[in-house]
């Protein structure tokens, strides 16, 4: 039974109550305040017995740790059943918690009496199995005063720190660990130990590499070595055959290759895995960075060469054209400059935008962004990672204004929005940030409304002017996922009603919904048609991809509403999409008025003395409205209304970028194309952004031993003037990763020599880089050949032995079932001693007694009510006789005789003074009663 109880540590001390009461009765002073002293004595006796309040008694806790790593792929399907088998055993007072473990550990559910987590929200983790972190997390879930046990479901293929240390902490806390072990068949294990590749290669060079194999018995195994130069490209078999394995002795196989493309080349090795105990170590991958030199990638349209590409080729550059689409960091490593020719940010994707920013800032890349109606703010680059590396910003000011806008935003707050994403946030947090991005782009003359929708709309911000943007932002950021699904019809209905009352020229509804969970469309076709007839447009920001189950429905909503739809396949891209939608609706970032370009001082110095003419610059039909950053160098202006930079450049990190805020290839207006300086301007910008020093100030190399990698930075003594004053920082860039890259501090080991050691967590390639004097020093691509938990365990304890050892060390057992999971000692509960509080209260009462006795502090008297008691008849008769005797002036003696009243008064000191004689009365009884009442007053 759970409850709160009072107990005593030393109950025998309560026997002190008897002598304490006797002492108070015998020696206590009869003066005022004596009852305070009695109360203080009672409290001190209770304190001596050391009373304790205890709660949470009864029941116990079980923390189930589920291994969700790659080696448990086959067993993960049974964990849902395991979850219910243990959870259904809970009795009154029992609680269950669940911890998931893969490359890291996370709490899927804290201790609960009834609930169970959904494993669908925690997919398979394709990586390591950090059992130590999981056990540390499990131990932290046990509250003081709670008993229980940990049940670990794993194959014991642990990576990371030694789990025995975490198990020792559980043992010290008295928490046993029970092992539910996934056992492997007693088959032979042949493995790929390593794939040895060069650290760096220049395009056109050939190399010789090696693969090392190892087996635990003598046998023959077939193998293949393949190469895919770029993701999605067809693999090419470089070598194949049969390797003879000798038990416990590594065998090497060499192969040669000459890559035909620059960038990141991926090599893969396959070893026959039939009847193999650990198939994961029969496939290994490795990456090789290939420097392409001075190459330019022009991306835009369908990939056909346009005027920009032809102008660069005419300047003698090696140019590659590519259709607009997603980009990876791998695609950028083999080029020196990327030219984005009217490529909307949506086509690059959130990982592509982040890859470009990292490549420029940390890996020394060069970026040229051209303008037009699909570039800069119109193209959705505001609040994107690319904007932070450009020399111009796209914030929206009053000069962007079209007409006053009324915008209603409907946010999906269904259960799917509570799923966590990178950085500790949830999808709902990013949706809130998206609505905030829209509010911050609106002005005081605009109107905004925000609704949160599940089965019905909930008004967060009613339609109002954006006068207090900070106040509105605070309310929107407080929206949280409440479960259920989003009813689209109700969302459209609630937001549309807000807009129907608006009197602005532009009224726009933005619906944010999950493309895989948009429910209850209702008669949306008629509703949207009514909105369009009333002048309201509808756009959709959909979380997911066009392939999701409800994507077609949401696309139809946007099409019928004369709006747009944007799919956020990466949740981190949601705020940028809201910003883009607001820019397109509320502001004009493209100024469509003809303007004559005006070159600025410093143009010749930046792009070359004879690169461009100082006069005769053409008139262009329009420009993108942007604002130059503080450190940017504006090379040409567009002196329109308002004035804005037309060409700007700057250095950022170890790279460079340029903004050409013009349509560089406009077939409808050939004035810029016909200008004699067109090709020179483009070539000058590309050469400037791709400019590299003749020699880098040092080299970056790496050594790997298992998961541990040590990176060495050695600076060139001949370029000592370029050495940094402070210890440089190592940046680890990973392709496809969104968010800030990993940064490590380098340690100085000698003059001009630095080192950093870290652990690899996956087989995805990491690129280490250091920026020295504005130049990037890029190291070799680093990756694991396969998941760390698949490393050969020969000479080490098997997974089953690891699990059995953890159970033994903690006093648990190896389980074959889940019976009696809660057969634990009942929890004694958490206790709090009350002795200190009682002693303090006793001291207060003692001080109050002193104040009353010595200082004559008055104590308010409590007047108790008087109760009339009806006496029995014989008692009333006796009382009447006694009163009559009193009235006659006689006093009874012990023998029943009477003595004169005056004599009785002298012999009885406690008798009050005699009452003066009264004249005879006709009613002696009434007079006797009056005298009795008078006596009570004394």
């Amino acid at each position: 039974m759970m409850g709160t109880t009072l107990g005593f540590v030393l109950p025998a001390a309560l026997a002190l109550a008897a002598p304490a009461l006797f002492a108070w009765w015998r020696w206590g002073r009869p003066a005022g305040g004596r009852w305070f002293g009695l109360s203080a004595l009672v409290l001190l006796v209770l304190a001596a017995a050391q009373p304790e309040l205890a709660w949470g008694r009864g029941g116990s806790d079980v923390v189930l740790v589920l291994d969700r790593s790659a080696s448990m792929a086959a067993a993960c399907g049974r964990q849902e059943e395991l979850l219910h088998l243990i959870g259904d055993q809970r009795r009154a007072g029992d609680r269950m918690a669940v911890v998931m473990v893969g490359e890291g550990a996370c709490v899927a559910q804290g201790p609960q009496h009834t609930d169970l987590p959904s494993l669908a929200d925690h997919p398979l983790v394709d990586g390591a199995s950090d059992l130590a972190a999981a056990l540390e997390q499990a131990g932290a879930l046990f509250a003081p005063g709670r008993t229980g046990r940990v049940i670990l479901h794993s194959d014991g293929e642990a990576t990371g720190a030694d789990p025995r240390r975490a198990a020792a902490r559980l043992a010290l806390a008295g928490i046993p660990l029970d092992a539910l072990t996934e056992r492997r068949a007693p088959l032979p294990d042949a493995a790929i130990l390593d794939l040895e590749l060069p650290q760096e290669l220049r395009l056109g060079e050939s190399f010789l590499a090696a693969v090392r194999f190892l087996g635990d018995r003598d046998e023959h195994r077939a193998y293949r070595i393949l190469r895919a130069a770029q993701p999605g490209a067809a693999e090419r078999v470089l070598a194949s055959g049969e390797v003879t394995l000798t038990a416990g002795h590594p065998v090497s196989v060499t192969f040669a290759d000459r890559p035909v493309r620059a960038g990141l080349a991926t090599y893969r090795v396959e070893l026959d895995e039939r009847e193999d105990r650990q198939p994961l170590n029969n496939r290994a991958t490795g990456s090789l960075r290939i420097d392409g030199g001075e190459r330019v990638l022009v991306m835009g349209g369908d990939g056909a060469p346009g005027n920009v590409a032809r102008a660069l080729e005419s300047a003698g550059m090696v140019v590659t054209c590519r259709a607009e689409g997603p980009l990876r960091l791998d695609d950028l490593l083999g080029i020196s400059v990327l030219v984005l020719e009217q490529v909307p940010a949506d086509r690059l994707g959130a990982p592509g935008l982040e890859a470009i920013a990292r490549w420029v800032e940390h890996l020394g890349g060069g970026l040229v962004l051209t303008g037009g109606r699909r570039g800069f703010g119109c193209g959705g680059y505001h609040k994107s990672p690319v904007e932070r590396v450009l020399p111009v910003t796209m914030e929206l000011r009053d000069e962007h204004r079209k007409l006053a806008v009324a915008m209603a935003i409907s946010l999906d707050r269904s259960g799917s929005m509570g799923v966590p994403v990178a950085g500790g946030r949830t999808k709902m947090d990013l949706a809130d940030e998206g609505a905030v991005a829209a509010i911050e782009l609106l002005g005081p003359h605009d109107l905004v409304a925000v609704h949160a929708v599940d089965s019905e709309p909930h008004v967060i911000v009613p339609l109002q002017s954006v006068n207090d943007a900070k106040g509105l932002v605070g309310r929107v950021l407080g929206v949280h996922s409440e479960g259920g699904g989003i009813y689209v019809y109700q969302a459209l209905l609630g937001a549309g009603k807000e807009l129907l009352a608006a009197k602005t020229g532009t009224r726009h509804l933005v619906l944010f919904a999950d493309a895989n969970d948009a429910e209850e469309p209702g008669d949306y076709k008629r509703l949207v048609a009514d909105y369009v007839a009333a002048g309201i447009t509808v756009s959709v920001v959909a979380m997911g991809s066009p392939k999701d189950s409800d994507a077609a429905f949401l696309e139809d909503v946007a099409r019928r509403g004369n709006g747009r739809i944007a799919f956020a396949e990466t949740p981190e891209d949601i705020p940028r999409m809201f910003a883009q939608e607001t820019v397109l609706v509320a502001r004009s970032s493209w100024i469509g008025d003809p303007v004559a370009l005006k070159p600025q001082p410093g143009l010749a110095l930046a792009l070359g003395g004879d690169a461009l003419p100082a006069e005769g610059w053409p008139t262009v039909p329009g420009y993108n409205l942007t604002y130059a950053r503080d450190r940017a160098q504006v090379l040409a202006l567009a002196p329109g209304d308002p004035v804005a930079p037309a060409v700007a450049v700057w250095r950022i990190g170890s790279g460079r970028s340029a903004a050409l805020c013009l349509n560089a290839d406009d077939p409808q207006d050939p004035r810029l194309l016909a200008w004699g300086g067109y090709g020179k301007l483009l070539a000058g910008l590309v050469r400037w952004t791709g400019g590299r020093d003749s020699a880098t100030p040092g080299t970056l190399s790496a050594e790997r031993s298992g998961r541990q990698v040590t990176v060495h930075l050695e600076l060139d003594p001949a370029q000592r003037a370029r050495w940094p004053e402070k210890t440089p920082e190592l940046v680890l860039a990973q392709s496809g990763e969104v968010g800030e890259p990993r940064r490590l501090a380098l340690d100085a080991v000698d003059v001009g020599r630095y080192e950093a050691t870290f652990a690899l967590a996956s087989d995805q390639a990491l690129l280490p880089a250091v920026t020295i004097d504005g130049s990037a020093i890029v190291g070799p691509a680093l990756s694991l050949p396969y998941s760390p938990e698949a490393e050969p365990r020969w000479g080490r304890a098997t997974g089953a032995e690891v699990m059995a050892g953890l159970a033994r060390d903690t006093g648990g057992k190896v389980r074959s079932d889940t019976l009696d999971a809660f057969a634990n000692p009942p929890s004694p509960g958490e206790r709090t001693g009350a002795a200190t509080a009682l002693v303090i209260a006793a001291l207060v009462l003692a001080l109050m007694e002193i104040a009353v006795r010595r200082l004559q502090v008055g104590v308010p008297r409590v007047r108790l009510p008087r109760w009339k008691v009806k006496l029995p008849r014989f008692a009333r008769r006796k009382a009447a006789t006694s009163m009559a005797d009193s009235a006659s002036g006689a006093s009874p003696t012990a023998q029943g005789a009477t003595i004169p009243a005056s004599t009785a008064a002298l012999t009885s000191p406690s008798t009050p003074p005699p009452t003066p004689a009264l004249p005879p009365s006709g009613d002696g009884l009434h007079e006797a009663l009056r005298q009795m009442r008078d006596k009570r007053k004394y």
Side-chain angles (χ1 to χ4, degrees):
M1 292 290 294
M2 300 282 288
T4 303
T5 59
L6 175 64
F8 295 93
V9 177
L10 298 174
L14 295 175
L16 296 173
L21 291 175
F22 176 77
W24 175 82
W25 175 78
R26 180 68 179 82
W27 293 291
R29 299 186 181 184
R34 63 197 308 260
W35 298 107
F36 289 119
L38 176 61
S39 301
L41 278 176
V42 172
L43 292 181
L44 289 175
V45 170
L46 291 176
Q50 296 186 23
E52 285 185 337
L53 288 175
W55 59 88
R57 289 178 177 267
S60 65
D61 294 346
V62 167
V63 179
L64 177 61
V65 179
L66 298 177
D67 189 346
R68 305 283 288 174
S69 61
S71 65
M72 289 284 291
C76 284
R78 299 192 298 273
Q79 289 180 346
E80 190 78 43
E81 179 183 4
L82 178 65
L83 195 66
H84 287 274
L85 286 175
I86 298 178
D88 292 344
Q89 298 181 40
R90 284 175 287 190
R91 303 158 300 186
D94 291 336
R95 303 187 304 179
M96 179 178 174
V98 181
V99 174
M100 304 288 190
V101 59
E103 293 186 9
C106 69
V107 178
Q109 174 183 288
Q112 299 288 336
H113 293 288
T114 56
D115 297 337
L116 289 175
S118 173
L119 296 186
D121 296 336
H122 302 273
L124 179 70
V125 180
D126 187 14
S129 181
D130 194 351
L131 295 185
L135 298 183
E136 293 281 1
Q137 193 73 263
L141 294 177
F142 285 91
R146 296 290 295 177
T147 61
R149 67 182 59 246
V150 174
I151 298 179
L152 172 61
H153 181 226
S154 174
D155 57 4
E157 305 290 341
T159 60
D162 191 345
R164 291 179 298 179
R165 293 186 179 181
R169 294 187 181 93
L170 293 178
L172 290 174
I175 303 171
L177 181 149
D178 291 353
L180 271 173
T181 307
E182 285 294 325
R183 298 182 180 273
R184 299 186 181 279
L187 298 173
D189 186 18
I192 303 167
L193 271 184
D194 203 0
L195 173 57
E196 299 175 349
L197 296 168
Q199 294 206 348
E200 186 179 355
L201 196 72
R202 291 187 177 274
L203 184 62
E205 294 180 344
S206 59
F207 68 91
L208 189 66
V211 181
R212 293 197 302 152
F213 300 98
L214 183 64
D216 60 358
R217 64 183 63 185
D218 298 344
E219 60 177 328
H220 300 281
R221 294 268 186 149
Y223 72 89
R224 291 198 310 163
I225 303 173
L226 307 95
R227 184 249 294 159
Q230 289 183 340
E235 289 185 316
R236 176 186 175 187
V237 177
L238 302 176
S240 62
E242 190 175 73
V243 61
T244 301
L245 299 177
T246 303
H249 296 283
V251 178
S252 295
V253 173
T254 59
F255 69 96
D257 189 29
R258 184 179 181 180
V260 296
R261 294 182 182 178
L264 202 64
T266 301
Y267 292 85
R268 187 161 60 88
V269 182
E270 297 176 350
L271 184 64
D272 185 6
E273 61 185 42
R274 290 176 297 177
E275 298 184 352
D276 195 281
R277 185 172 68 251
Q278 178 55 277
L280 289 179
N281 58 29
N282 291 61
R283 297 181 299 275
T285 59
S287 298
L288 173 61
R289 185 171 64 87
I290 306 163
D291 189 355
E294 304 297 325
R295 291 176 175 267
V296 180
L297 173 62
V298 177
M299 173 177 278
D302 58 1
N307 289 314
V308 173
R310 285 192 286 267
L312 297 178
E313 288 178 341
S314 299
M317 300 181 186
V318 179
V319 179
T320 302
C321 296
R322 177 172 171 175
E324 58 187 34
L327 267 178
R328 293 172 53 88
L329 190 60
D330 310 5
D331 305 320
L332 302 172
L333 295 177
I335 62 174
S336 59
V337 178
L338 170 67
V339 180
L340 294 176
E341 166 59 7
Q342 286 212 75
V343 179
D346 293 345
R347 303 299 176 88
L348 297 169
L353 294 167
E354 186 65 50
I356 294 172
R358 292 188 181 185
W359 173 66
V360 173
E361 192 170 4
H362 304 299
L363 303 178
L367 172 66
V368 177
L369 183 67
T370 69
R373 297 183 183 275
R374 302 177 80 215
F376 292 94
C378 298
Y381 285 94
H382 183 45
K383 288 189 175 294
S384 74
V386 167
E387 184 183 24
R388 75 169 184 254
V389 299
L390 288 175
V392 296
T393 64
M394 287 158 264
E395 78 268 17
L396 303 182
R397 303 177 184 175
D398 288 341
E399 51 261 38
H400 286 256
R401 176 167 299 281
K402 290 181 178 179
L403 301 173
V405 173
M407 177 177 287
I409 302 171
S410 234
L411 296 177
D412 176 1
R413 74 168 190 186
S414 61
S416 61
M417 299 302 295
V419 176
V421 295
R425 296 177 294 177
T426 64
K427 294 180 179 179
M428 191 74 248
D429 295 333
L430 293 171
D432 295 345
E433 292 177 17
V436 167
I439 292 173
E440 291 176 343
L441 291 174
L442 297 174
H445 302 289
D446 300 318
L447 304 175
V448 69
V450 180
H451 290 184
V453 185
D454 37 48
S455 58
E456 60 180 348
H458 306 272
V459 178
I460 306 301
V461 176
L463 189 68
Q464 59 185 279
S465 299
V466 189
N467 292 318
D468 180 18
K470 290 184 178 179
L472 300 180
V473 165
R475 292 157 67 180
V476 171
L477 290 177
V479 177
H480 302 289
S481 173
E482 301 290 341
I486 178 174
Y487 286 18
V488 173
Y489 183 83
Q490 294 297 328
L492 294 172
L493 183 64
K497 285 183 178 179
E498 297 262 24
L499 293 175
L500 288 173
K503 304 301 182 182
T504 57
T506 301
R507 293 178 291 178
H508 189 63
L509 191 158
V510 180
L511 171 67
F512 172 72
D514 191 338
N516 210 27
D517 187 26
E519 304 175 4
E520 301 294 335
D523 191 5
Y524 76 93
K525 297 180 181 178
R526 177 178 298 179
L527 181 64
V528 174
D530 292 342
Y531 286 162
V532 172
I536 297 174
T537 54
V538 181
S539 289
V540 178
V541 175
M543 185 182 64
S545 72
K547 299 179 181 178
D548 288 338
S549 57
D550 298 320
F553 157 57
L554 296 177
E555 286 178 334
D556 192 53
V557 171
R559 181 181 59 82
R560 293 176 180 273
N562 292 335
R564 291 155 297 277
I565 185 167
F567 288 97
E569 298 188 33
T570 303
E572 289 80 2
D573 208 23
I574 294 173
R576 185 194 63 80
M577 290 183 171
F578 270 93
Q580 179 183 9
E581 185 63 28
T582 308
V583 167
L584 294 176
V585 171
R587 299 289 186 266
S588 177
S589 61
W590 171 257
I591 307 300
D593 300 325
V595 61
L597 300 179
K598 183 179 179 181
Q600 295 297 295
L603 173 69
L605 181 63
L607 302 186
D610 57 349
L612 291 167
E615 297 179 355
W617 282 55
T619 297
V620 294
Y623 59 95
N624 296 90
L625 183 54
T626 61
Y627 302 92
R629 296 185 186 271
D630 292 340
R631 293 187 298 104
Q633 184 177 3
V634 178
L635 305 183
L637 282 176
D641 185 18
V643 178
V647 182
V649 297
W650 81 333
R651 297 171 181 263
I652 174 69
S654 60
R656 305 180 184 187
S657 65
L660 181 60
C661 306
L662 312 168
N663 189 340
D665 192 358
D666 188 357
Q668 298 180 356
D669 193 315
R671 284 177 287 184
L672 180 61
L673 297 173
W675 174 48
Y678 173 78
K680 295 180 180 180
L681 175 63
L682 291 175
L685 289 176
V686 169
R687 286 197 176 99
W688 186 87
T689 54
R692 299 181 178 179
D693 296 316
S694 57
T696 57
T699 59
L700 204 60
S701 60
E703 297 176 356
R704 184 177 69 85
S705 177
R707 298 181 62 202
Q708 297 297 316
V709 174
T710 301
V711 175
H712 306 276
L713 171 63
E714 188 167 354
L715 300 180
D716 185 1
Q719 303 186 58
R720 186 152 190 159
R722 301 179 60 187
W723 287 14
E725 296 181 359
K726 298 181 179 180
T727 302
E729 185 180 52
L730 180 69
V731 176
L732 300 175
Q734 181 173 310
S735 182
E737 187 180 10
V738 177
E740 278 295 312
R742 185 179 176 186
R743 300 172 183 268
L744 294 175
L746 288 164
D747 297 323
V749 296
D750 202 348
V751 178
R753 294 183 61 193
Y754 302 87
E755 285 184 359
T757 301
F758 58 93
L760 292 173
S762 69
D763 58 357
Q764 292 192 4
L766 283 177
L767 286 170
V770 175
T771 300
I772 303 292
D773 191 32
S775 297
I777 305 174
V778 184
L782 303 171
S783 64
L784 290 172
Y786 39 70
S787 173
E789 60 184 346
E791 294 177 358
R793 305 190 70 88
W794 309 321
R796 298 184 294 166
T798 64
E801 292 171 343
V802 170
M803 295 286 284
L806 295 177
R808 180 182 62 252
D809 293 344
T810 59
K813 59 184 178 180
V814 177
R815 286 179 171 268
S816 58
D817 53 49
T818 60
L819 298 177
D820 300 326
F822 286 90
N824 308 310
S827 299
E830 189 171 356
R831 301 183 181 187
T832 299
T836 302
L838 293 178
V839 170
I840 294 174
L843 291 175
V844 172
L845 290 173
L847 292 174
M848 293 177 65
E849 181 192 11
I850 295 172
V852 171
R853 179 164 47 84
R854 295 292 182 87
L855 304 179
Q856 301 297 316
V857 176
V859 179
R861 298 182 61 182
V862 179
R863 187 176 296 277
L864 299 177
R866 294 182 178 180
W867 301 95
K868 293 183 179 180
V869 180
K870 187 175 183 180
L871 298 175
R873 182 178 299 175
F874 73 88
R876 293 199 303 269
R877 188 182 300 117
K878 185 176 181 180
T881 303
S882 176
M883 293 178 198
D885 293 341
S886 179
S888 62
S891 177
T893 65
Q895 291 78 18
T898 60
I899 60 175
S902 59
T903 305
L906 293 173
T907 59
S908 178
S910 60
T911 304
T915 305
L918 297 174
S921 172
D923 192 346
L925 177 62
H926 286 289
E927 182 62 19
L929 291 175
R930 183 183 65 77
Q931 292 180 8
M932 293 287 291
R933 287 194 298 268
D934 291 340
K935 289 181 179 180
R936 290 195 187 101
K937 295 180 180 180
Y938 295 96

